[in-house]
């Protein structure tokens, strides 16, 4: 596994930007869409990599930001462990820092929690070029504000993440995928029934008239649950990593791609019959549109954001968002092109 | 009107209260405001029902302290809010007249977070106790902040659901207080803390804004304000509505009880269970003193000759529980448990838990007072840190009972002492501070779930550097520029830390590391 401490150079770069009033765009591998950066300078964390501490018996890992997520996952898997929210690895690339900064979670999110749920601590450089530690390597910690989780999903606007610690989970003993033909409304209802029961369901994916469900956990339980399902077949080639990483054929084109989230229990009604793929009991949908016009989606409390080959509508910055940003970065040097 | 006494609100919890002398703590005021403000009172009277405003000494006295009874201060005015509009009025008056504000839930906090200010308003939330909505189909509930933790589970029980975080104080503590402290409980190991179970909330800021955070969807694209507000100890805003996720009540449960001859073996067994890839619903440990006290108090059949016991709960579907219980039993035996028993019937499980839940009141019988600590450490350090604590106990001449969330590495050493003896009291406080510093040195933290409040404000200087504390202050100012909310708590001023001087442990870097400290 690659390993190197590049933190002094990174701190120096931020110090210089601070002194000279210049902006910095922060990069990991540049794998995420919509992060095409503009700035006077780049800070790249890719050379700041390697595992700082990993005790499998403790189910906690601390790792430098530039570590490729894939390498980390492989190392954890060798010990039968995982970062349960399973953040995506787009284009086969992506660093741990990028995962934390974007805060995205994979197909298991409703069952395993979101990435921020398992972040235990971070080391960061703020806009004053100060190196700060928040949180730690223990499971419960309420000393001070929960800054490490605030950094999760902040898209680099609060500063450079140098390293992060995660709570891990043992990998499930077995994982089965069952597939069936199913309309979107039927899939929605079928999944709604799952919510009220304790099952080993840990993933759902519906697209092109087929529903895929993942059951994972203790073998005895998974077997008895999947045996009881009717009109389904086991599919042992379906890859949940491909759903997570947008490697499924559904994602393999250049059409504008949108990410829409819905309230629990809200049926996603696809008005123009656009092509879409939904996960998370149907609470997350990926929608492709023929043009750059955002998709029209019916329902209450829907958030649609541009994900790829599409332009986000300019979001207005709220008072508190801009104050938070200032609290970390008074001169506004980090990722000025990004609005969270 | 009648005022319910704050202390009688949770009389069954009273034994938990600490009786350290407030002179042990140098209270910190950010900005002393000389005169409680006549204009402010007039404004309050214009906007709120008279029955909501308490100002007579005998009316406000019950609110002078929270669960950390050593620290007391009579509030200038108490407001019992019944609506969001009341809360907003109070915030406006505080803002316009620059009056300090402390929000209070049920007052069960153990770190002095809800201790009022003599020149300020105490905003009490317990009357806002309505369950606003239960969405059983989607497993969520929306409630007002004064609803008690247990009341949520009670309200949704019939639908086969419950709210997972279960602090031992759950019959009394409010969900608003849980949010402010990021409260934990016995079942956090598998189901997470308050943070992991709250999906939405409404917050009123002192500037008069209402923030609507999260909701029934998963992960919206915005800053994670909820992560910031959960555990912020009432310093950033007043929580006026909370939406939580609910879980289906598990169909099957089993509780294993393992007895050990050595404390450290039990500690190693905890690490063993975690590293074997098992995630119990709860994994609790008690030492000899705690076992004996609990057994005498509750008579549940604990082995009183054991040096330590572990209680391990497994839940889920039947096959899974059976399979995991067998693995845990093997592990316990191979890690040196001399006896393991398994409870499979609900009433037997309940009996085993009853002893654990009675442990705090039971410890209260061992000495006139006890001081409950709350450090968290990596689980592989449990054995070593417990040994250190026992050495400290000899050195200070004060007994300690340990009963804690072992699976989370969250220690709760109970230091036994007699508060009427000034010397013992001083020692108890010093002992407590040394335990927390020991936790920081072991790679842990000074508080796992009880919060910093006033109690641990000095230890914050050990855990964080000046620049980190400064960052906390800037964050706070983003929501409360005048620093009127909960002044003097949770985050020490840099001046305070430098005055403290003394031993400053930071990230394990201690002056004179060659000296043995525990
Ligand atoms: C016997 C006993 C056992 C306990 N066991 C546990 C345990 O197992 N786990 C655990 O985590 N804790 C435990 N506690 C501690 C305590 O019960 C929790 O911290 C609880 O969350 C406090 O809730 P409360 O309503 O009493 O809050 P309070 O004590 O009234 O207030 C606590 C803090 O929250 C703030 N606050 C309260 N309401 C609001 C609001 N609406 N908006 C903004 N801020 C607010 C206050 O300003 C204060 O800073 C225990 C306490 C006792 C006495």
């Amino acid at each position: 596994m690659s390993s190197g401490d590049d933190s002094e150079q990174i701190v120096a770069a931020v110090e210089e930007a601070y002194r000279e009033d210049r902006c910095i765009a922060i990069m990991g591998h540049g794998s995420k869409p919509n992060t095409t950066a503009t700035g006077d300078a780049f800070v790249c964390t890719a050379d700041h990599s390697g595992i700082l501490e990993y005790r499998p018996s403790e189910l906690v890992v601390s790792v430098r930001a530039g570590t490729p997520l894939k390498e980390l996952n492989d190392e954890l898997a060798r010990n039968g462990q995982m970062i349960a929210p399973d953040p995506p690895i787009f284009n086969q690339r992506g660093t741990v820092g990028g995962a934390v900064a974007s805060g995205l979670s994979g197909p298991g999110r409703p069952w395993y929690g979101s990435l921020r749920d398992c972040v235990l601590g971070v080391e960061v450089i703020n806009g004053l070029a100060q190196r700060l530690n928040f949180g730690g390597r223990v499971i419960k910690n309420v000393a001070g504000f929960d800054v490490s989780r605030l950094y999760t999903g902040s898209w680099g606007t609060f500063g450079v993440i140098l390293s992060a610690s995660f709570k891990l989970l043992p990998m499930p003993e077995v994982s089965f995928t069952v597939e069936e033909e199913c309309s979107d409304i039927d899939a929605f209802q079928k999944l709604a029934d799952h919510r009220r029961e304790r099952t080993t369901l840990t993933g759902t994916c519906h697209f092109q008239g087929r529903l895929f469900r993942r059951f994972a956990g203790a073998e005895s339980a998974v077997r008895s649950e999947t045996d009881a399902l009717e009109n389904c077949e086991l599919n042992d080639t379906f890859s949940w990593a491909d759903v997570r990483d947008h490697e499924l054929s559904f994602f393999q084109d250049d059409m504008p791609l949108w990410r829409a989230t819905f309230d629990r229990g809200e049926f996603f009604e696809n008005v123009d019959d656009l092509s879409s793929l939904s996960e998370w009991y149907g609470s997350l949908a990926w929608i492709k549109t023929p043009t750059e016009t955002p998709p029209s989606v019916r329902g209450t409390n829907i958030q649609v954001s541009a994900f790829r080959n599409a332009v986000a509508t300019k979001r207005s910055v709220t008072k508190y968002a801009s104050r938070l940003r200032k609290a970390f970065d008074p001169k506004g040097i980090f990722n000025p092109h990004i609005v969270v | 009107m009648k005022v319910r006494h704050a202390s009688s609100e949770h009389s069954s919890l009273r034994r938990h209260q600490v009786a350290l002398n407030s002179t042990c703590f140098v209270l910190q005021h950010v900005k002393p405001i000389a005169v409680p403000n006549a204009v402010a009172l007039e404004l309050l009277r214009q906007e709120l029902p008279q029955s909501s405003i308490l100002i007579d000494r005998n009316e406000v006295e019950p609110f002078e302290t929270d669960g950390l009874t050593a620290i007391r201060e009579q509030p200038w005015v108490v407001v019992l809010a019944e609506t969001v509009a009341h809360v907003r009025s109070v915030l406006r008056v505080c803002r316009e007249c620059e009056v300090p504000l402390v929000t209070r839930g049920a007052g069960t906090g153990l770190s002095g977070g809800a201790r009022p200010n003599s020149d300020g308003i105490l905003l009490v939330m317990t009357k806002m106790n309505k369950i606003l909505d239960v969405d059983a189909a989607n497993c969520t509930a929306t409630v007002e902040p004064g609803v008690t933790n247990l009341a949520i589970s009670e309200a949704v029980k019939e639908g086969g659901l419950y709210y997972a975080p279960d602090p031992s104080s759950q019959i009394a503590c409010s969900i608003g207080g849980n949010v402010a402290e990021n409260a934990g409980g016995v079942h956090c190991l598998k189901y997470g803390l308050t943070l992991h179970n709250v999906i939405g909330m409404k917050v009123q800021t002192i500037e008069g804004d209402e923030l609507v955070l999260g909701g029934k969807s998963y992960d919206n694209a915005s800053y994670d304000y909820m992560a910031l507000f959960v555990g912020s100890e009432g310093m950033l805003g007043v929580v006026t509505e909370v939406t939580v996720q609910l879980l289906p009540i598990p169909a099957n449960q089993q509780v294993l009880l393992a007895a050990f001859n050595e404390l450290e073996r039990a500690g190693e067994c905890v690490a063993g269970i975690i590293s074997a890839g098992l995630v119990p619903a709860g994994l609790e440990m008690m030492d000899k003193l705690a076992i004996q006290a609990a057994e005498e108090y509750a008579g549940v059949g604990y082995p009183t000759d054991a040096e330590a016991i572990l209680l391990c709960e497994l839940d889920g579907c039947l096959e899974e529980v059976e399979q995991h219980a067998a693995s845990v039993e093997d592990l316990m035996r191979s890690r040196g448990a001399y006896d393991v028993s398994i409870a499979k019937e609900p009433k037997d499980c309940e009996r085993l838990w009853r002893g654990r839940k009675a442990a705090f009141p039971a410890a209260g019988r061992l000495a006139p007072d006890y001081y409950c600590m709350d450090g968290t450490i990596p689980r592989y350090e449990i054995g070593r840190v417990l040994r250190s604590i026992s050495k400290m106990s000899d050195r200070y001449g004060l007994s300690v009972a340990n009963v804690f969330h072992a699976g989370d590495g969250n220690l709760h050493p109970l230091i036994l002492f007699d508060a009427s003896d000034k010397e013992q009291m001083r020692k108890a406080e010093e002992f407590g501070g040394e335990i927390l510093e020991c936790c920081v040195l072991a790679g842990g933290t000074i508080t796992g779930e009880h919060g910093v409040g006033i109690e641990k404000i000095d230890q914050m200087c050990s855990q964080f550097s000046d620049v980190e504390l400064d960052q906390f202050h800037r964050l706070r100012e983003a929501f409360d520029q005048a620093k009127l909310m909960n002044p003097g708590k949770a985050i020490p001023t840099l001046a305070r830390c430098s005055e403290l001087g003394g031993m400053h442990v930071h990230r394990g870097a201690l002056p004179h590391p060659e000296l043995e400290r525990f």
Side-chain angles (χ1 to χ4, degrees):
Chain A
M1 173 174 259
S2 51
S3 181
D5 182 348
D6 198 31
S7 59
E8 280 177 21
Q9 281 83 331
I10 300 175
V11 174
V14 178
E15 262 167 8
E16 191 181 308
Y18 180 76
R19 230 181 13 248
E20 299 181 1
D21 287 323
R22 286 198 291 167
C23 296
I24 291 185
I26 308 169
M27 300 257 300
H29 284 164
S31 69
K32 300 272 174 329
N34 285 334
T35 52
T36 13
T38 51
D40 303 333
F42 281 92
V43 160
C44 180
T45 58
D47 291 335
H48 187 60
S49 67
I51 289 178
L52 293 167
E53 184 175 334
Y54 177 32
R55 281 179 197 259
S57 67
E58 196 60 19
L59 287 175
V60 172
V61 69
S62 300
V63 54
R64 291 200 185 103
T67 311
L69 190 53
K70 189 166 178 323
E71 282 185 25
L72 175 62
N73 284 347
D74 290 346
E75 174 63 19
L76 299 177
R78 274 193 282 282
N79 291 280
Q81 299 184 349
M82 60 178 184
I83 294 178
D86 203 15
I89 302 174
F90 295 127
N91 302 317
Q92 321 281 332
R93 291 177 305 157
T95 59
V96 169
V100 175
S102 58
L104 298 171
S105 306
R109 194 272 171 244
W111 302 272
Y112 288 123
S114 71
L115 186 64
R116 71 91 132 129
D117 288 338
C118 75
V119 170
L120 299 177
V122 291
E123 185 183 7
V124 296
I125 307 172
N126 67 6
L128 299 164
Q130 294 165 333
R131 228 175 139 149
L132 313 171
N133 276 284
F134 296 104
R137 294 174 187 181
V138 289
I139 306 303
K140 282 165 103 176
N141 184 355
V142 294
F145 298 131
D146 200 346
V147 176
S148 56
R149 293 189 168 108
L150 189 59
Y151 262 82
T152 312
S154 65
W155 292 94
T157 58
F158 294 158
V160 186
I161 296 165
L162 283 178
S163 67
S165 300
F166 303 94
K167 175 186 171 183
L168 305 172
L169 274 188
M171 287 179 127
E173 203 173 283
V174 295
S175 174
F176 291 174
T177 300
V178 294
E179 179 186 353
E180 69 196 286
E181 213 175 290
C182 199
S183 71
D184 53 359
I185 183 78
D186 286 347
F188 178 77
Q189 272 155 2
K190 201 174 276 243
L191 295 177
D193 292 341
H194 274 295
R195 273 189 204 277
R196 302 290 309 274
E197 300 158 8
R198 291 242 179 177
T199 66
T200 55
L201 184 74
T202 62
T204 75
C205 176
H206 182 265
F207 69 114
Q208 289 161 3
R210 302 198 76 76
L211 173 66
F212 299 82
R213 279 179 283 173
R214 176 175 64 184
F215 293 85
E219 180 163 2
S220 50
V222 173
R223 278 201 191 283
S224 82
E225 281 168 29
T226 48
D227 284 350
L229 297 173
E230 284 166 11
N231 305 322
C232 300
E233 53 203 72
L234 283 176
N235 178 333
D236 49 20
T237 55
F238 187 79
S239 162
W240 291 90
D242 284 355
V243 178
R244 176 194 73 188
D245 301 341
H246 290 184
E247 297 286 343
L248 282 185
S249 55
F250 171 86
F251 294 101
Q252 302 299 312
D253 56 40
D254 293 330
M255 285 169 81
L257 180 68
W258 308 81
R259 178 182 190 270
T261 54
F262 309 85
D263 276 4
R264 288 167 169 80
E266 186 75 36
F267 176 59
F268 154 47
E269 193 179 346
N270 202 339
V271 182
D272 298 326
D273 210 19
L274 303 162
S275 90
S276 65
L277 176 148
S278 70
E279 303 177 47
W280 303 2
Y281 285 122
S283 292
L284 170 73
W286 300 98
I287 305 169
K288 292 192 291 193
T289 53
T291 66
E292 282 196 15
T293 318
S296 43
V297 181
R298 207 178 278 161
T300 51
N301 259 335
I302 298 167
Q303 217 193 38
V304 179
S305 51
F307 203 77
R308 209 186 289 269
N309 301 327
V311 184
T313 36
K314 267 258 170 290
R315 270 204 276 158
S316 55
V317 185
T318 66
K319 174 167 83 181
Y320 293 104
S322 82
R323 283 205 201 147
L324 267 190
R325 201 163 170 166
K326 272 222 172 73
F328 287 107
D329 179 15
K331 286 191 173 181
I333 59 181
F334 294 115
N335 283 358
H337 59 293
I338 293 181
V339 174
V340 182
Chain B
M1 68 163 291
K2 269 209 151 157
V3 184
R4 206 141 58 111
H5 274 242
S7 52
S8 67
E9 280 172 17
H10 47 88
S11 54
S12 61
L13 307 176
R14 222 176 316 156
R15 286 302 310 184
H16 200 86
Q17 298 172 352
V18 185
L20 291 177
N21 187 333
S22 55
T23 54
C24 294
F25 297 83
V26 188
L27 299 183
Q28 181 190 30
H29 283 276
V30 164
K31 182 166 40 161
I33 295 171
V35 239
N37 199 310
V39 181
L41 187 57
E42 193 42 47
L43 284 172
L44 283 178
R45 288 194 163 133
Q46 278 168 19
E47 301 206 11
L48 298 163
Q50 298 313 302
S51 59
S52 302
I53 304 172
L54 313 179
I55 190 156
D56 288 349
R57 288 303 89 188
N58 61 338
E59 283 182 326
V60 300
E61 197 196 282
F63 297 96
E64 66 183 5
T65 181
D66 62 5
L68 183 66
T69 53
I71 303 182
R72 291 167 188 272
E73 196 165 318
Q74 287 216 349
W76 167 51
V77 169
V78 173
V79 173
L80 308 172
E82 287 172 45
T83 62
V84 177
H86 292 174
V87 172
R88 293 176 64 86
S89 297
V90 170
L91 285 163
R92 192 171 63 78
V93 171
C94 287
R95 173 176 78 245
E96 287 175 358
C97 302
E98 289 192 53
V99 177
L101 174 71
V102 174
T103 311
R104 176 188 169 106
T108 68
L110 292 173
S111 54
R115 194 241 37 218
N117 291 45
S118 59
D119 56 359
I121 295 175
L122 183 74
L123 175 61
V124 180
M125 305 300 289
T126 43
K127 289 198 154 188
M128 290 182 66
N129 60 358
K130 283 191 279 301
I131 299 204
L132 300 171
D133 177 51
V134 175
D135 179 355
N138 293 302
C139 301
T140 69
T142 300
V143 303
E144 289 188 328
V147 169
T148 63
N149 172 294
L150 189 62
I152 301 177
S153 290
E154 296 283 330
V156 299
K157 193 163 71 183
E158 249 171 52
L161 301 170
Y162 76 114
Y163 174 62
D166 56 345
S168 312
S169 52
Q170 71 181 147
I171 52 163
C173 64
S174 72
I175 189 72
N178 289 176
V179 167
E181 300 287 9
N182 192 11
V186 173
H187 291 95
C188 297
L189 181 56
K190 184 164 176 185
Y191 299 111
L193 307 163
T194 303
L195 172 86
H196 303 102
N197 291 278
V198 166
I199 58 173
M201 54 203 208
K202 287 188 182 158
V203 180
Q204 313 298 326
T205 70
I206 191 126
E207 291 188 18
D209 299 302
E210 177 176 84
L211 309 180
V212 181
L213 309 176
K216 287 193 191 178
S217 68
Y218 300 96
D219 311 344
N220 284 336
S222 86
Y223 289 133
D224 198 340
Y225 295 98
M226 272 210 292
L228 181 60
F229 275 92
V230 175
S232 62
E233 303 197 17
M235 298 184 73
L236 304 178
V238 180
V239 177
T240 51
E241 191 181 298
V242 182
T243 301
V244 298
Q245 66 175 22
L246 306 168
L247 293 178
I249 296 171
N252 303 280
Q253 267 172 342
Q254 293 189 7
V255 180
L256 290 93
L257 168 70
F260 294 82
N261 278 326
E262 280 173 58
L263 202 59
E264 280 169 86
R265 288 253 165 144
E268 284 161 17
C269 185
V270 170
I273 292 172
I274 301 296
S275 63
L278 297 156
V279 185
L283 183 53
E284 301 281 307
M285 182 164 161
M286 292 165 77
D287 71 2
K288 189 167 203 155
L289 200 51
I291 299 167
Q292 288 173 344
E295 182 55 25
E296 192 171 312
Y297 188 90
V300 293
Y302 286 167
T304 47
D305 54 343
E307 284 300 319
I309 59 169
L310 285 182
L311 283 171
C312 177
E313 178 178 300
L314 300 161
D315 69 5
C317 68
L318 190 61
E319 295 86 355
E320 194 180 355
V321 173
E322 293 279 353
Q323 186 184 335
H324 287 166
S327 314
V328 171
E329 183 179 0
D330 286 350
L331 253 159
M332 287 173 155
R333 291 193 191 279
S334 70
R335 301 273 171 155
Y338 69 81
D339 189 34
V340 180
S341 56
I342 307 186
K344 299 190 174 185
E345 295 303 317
K347 69 171 196 325
D348 297 329
C349 296
E350 190 275 331
R351 179 174 52 83
L352 290 184
W353 275 123
R354 189 151 27 93
R356 163 64 182 88
K357 287 187 175 159
F360 284 132
R365 288 183 169 182
L366 297 175
D369 301 275
Y370 67 78
Y371 187 23
C372 174
M373 309 310 296
D374 172 45
T376 303
I377 52 171
R379 288 159 288 208
Y380 61 87
E381 293 279 22
I382 289 178
R384 196 176 67 83
V385 169
L386 288 180
R387 188 161 19 110
S388 305
I389 292 176
S390 125
K391 278 191 196 158
M392 287 180 214
S393 162
D394 293 343
R395 184 149 42 79
Y396 283 100
L398 296 175
S399 304
V400 175
N402 281 292
V403 39
F404 62 99
H405 313 304
D408 301 314
N410 187 186
L411 304 178
H412 284 328
L414 305 175
I415 303 171
L416 306 177
F417 70 107
D418 179 354
S420 66
D421 178 340
K422 290 273 173 285
E423 179 59 11
Q424 278 201 23
M425 207 157 53
R426 190 192 57 73
K427 279 187 177 169
E429 199 209 345
E430 203 179 305
F431 186 176
E434 197 172 331
I435 291 176
L436 296 185
E437 256 139 30
C438 171
C439 291
V440 176
L441 279 176
T445 173
I446 57 171
T447 172
E449 57 181 17
H450 295 167
V452 174
I454 304 177
E455 184 207 16
K456 283 170 274 260
I457 195 145
D458 289 345
Q459 277 80 26
M460 284 292 280
C461 311
S462 306
Q463 192 163 330
F464 294 97
S465 69
D466 287 358
V467 279
E468 287 156 357
L469 293 173
D470 231 11
Q471 183 65 72
F472 285 144
H473 284 295
R474 281 198 305 279
L475 273 174
R476 173 192 186 191
E477 284 161 30
F479 292 90
D480 177 14
Q481 288 173 324
K483 298 187 205 166
L484 291 170
M485 300 199 65
N486 242 347
K489 304 210 185 113
I491 306 158
T493 60
L494 301 188
R496 184 182 178 106
C497 288
S498 73
E499 257 169 47
L500 264 176
M503 190 170 81
H504 187 95
V505 199
H506 184 66
R507 309 245 164 253
L510 186 76
H512 309 294
E514 70 284 3
L515 301 177
E516 199 192 347
R517 283 180 168 86
F518 50 82

